[in-house]
Amino acid sequence: MITSGQIKAARALLGLTTAKLAELSGIGFTTLVRLESFDGMPSANIKTLDSVKRALESAGIEFIGTPEDGPGVRLFNKG
C-alpha cells in the first residue's frame, strides 16, 4: 500500500498536476484529491490505489519503506 504523503511527494517530484495524475491513473480528479487529503493510508478501493501506484511507477517513481515504517519515494532513471 501507499500513503497520501507518498502520492503527493511523487506527484511533486514528477511535476504533475492533480488533474494530470488523475488522467494517467484513469481515476476521477475528485477521487485523487480525496486520496491526497488523508493522513497516512487513504481509505480507498485497492484497485484505485493500485492504479495511482502503477501510473507513478511508470513515470519513474519508486516507493520505499512501508506505510508504517519510513514511507517515501524516489525518482529513478528508467534508462
Side-chain angles (χ1 to χ4, degrees), residues 18-29 31-32 47-48 50-56:
T18 307
K20 185 63 178 176
L21 179 54
E23 177 188 325
L24 292 172
S25 302
I27 65 171
F29 173 80
T31 299
L32 185 57
K47 184 177 176 182
T48 301
D50 190 52
S51 294
V52 173
K53 185 175 187 264
R54 281 185 286 118
L56 290 167

Side-chain angles (χ1 to χ4, degrees), residues 29-67:
F29 173 80
T30 55
T31 299
L32 185 57
V33 169
R34 185 178 53 79
L35 292 178
E36 288 189 350
S37 71
F38 282 87
D39 277 335
M41 285 182 40
S43 173
N45 182 307
I46 300 227
K47 184 177 176 182
T48 301
L49 285 175
D50 190 52
S51 294
V52 173
K53 185 175 187 264
R54 281 185 286 118
L56 290 167
E57 288 172 335
S58 292
I61 292 295
E62 180 180 1
F63 291 91
I64 57 176
T66 67

